[in-house]
Amino acid sequence: MVEWTDAERSAITGLWGKINVDEIGPQAISRLLIVAPWTQRHFAAFGNLSSPAAIIGNPKVAAHGKTVMGGLERAVKNLDNIKTAYASLSIMHSEKLHVDPDNFRILADCVTVCVAMKFGPSVFTADVQEAWQKFLAVVASALGRQYH
């Protein structure tokens, strides 16, 4: 179990309250598919992923980005029990989708980049970033738990 300080909880929930999932989700998943093109193999049903412009303009990519952010919302609401909250997602990504667990860490980095670009240093301070990256590391670990 992860221990969260009051400051970390406040930073995570405060930042989450500012995030527009309809904006950040599509940006983050698009960034993942562009900077880590090997991840595209999991999204063959999404159609044209042949270029950055095609990825960014793909409505299925955007919809999945919103789904991913919905998953993060589940983690925000279950900070004290993220691993249990993510148990079924971990099984699905491991046993059905066969996603390399390193991809979760790459996606977490993409989410962090998008959030940092959106809010800048006045909102996304070093302290907020520290808490946010700890949170996303716990999420990535929970998603990869089935692999251990």
Side-chain angles (χ1 to χ4, degrees):
M1 182 169 152
V2 176
E3 297 292 328
W4 303 104
T5 67
D6 290 341
E8 289 170 335
R9 286 177 188 279
S10 179
I12 293 163
T13 58
L15 182 62
W16 183 256
K18 294 176 175 78
I19 291 174
N20 177 347
V21 299
D22 294 339
E23 178 182 2
I24 299 298
Q27 287 176 2
I29 199 78
S30 293
R31 184 173 286 269
L32 172 73
L33 295 171
I34 293 165
V35 303
W38 61 88
T39 62
Q40 293 177 18
R41 72 180 184 92
H42 299 290
F43 302 98
F46 283 16
N48 185 5
L49 302 175
S50 63
S51 69
I55 292 167
I56 292 166
N58 187 312
K60 291 182 180 179
V61 171
H64 189 65
K66 294 172 191 176
T67 299
V68 166
M69 296 305 281
L72 283 182
E73 182 173 31
R74 181 188 307 182
V76 170
K77 290 180 177 178
N78 292 281
L79 282 174
D80 291 319
N81 212 355
I82 293 174
K83 287 186 179 183
T84 299
Y86 271 49
S88 63
L89 281 173
S90 179
I91 291 168
M92 179 180 74
H93 282 85
S94 169
E95 296 178 8
K96 181 180 178 193
L97 302 174
H98 308 289
V99 175
D100 182 333
D102 284 338
N103 293 343
F104 304 133
R105 287 180 274 286
I106 298 168
L107 178 56
D109 289 344
C110 291
V111 170
T112 299
V113 167
C114 292
V115 169
M117 289 187 325
K118 171 69 178 175
F119 297 111
S122 63
V123 172
F124 199 68
T125 65
D127 289 338
V128 170
Q129 180 180 352
E130 179 183 24
W132 183 250
Q133 288 192 259
K134 178 179 175 180
F135 165 70
L136 291 178
V138 171
V139 168
S141 175
L143 281 168
R145 185 174 186 187
Q146 186 64 26
Y147 296 84
H148 304 294

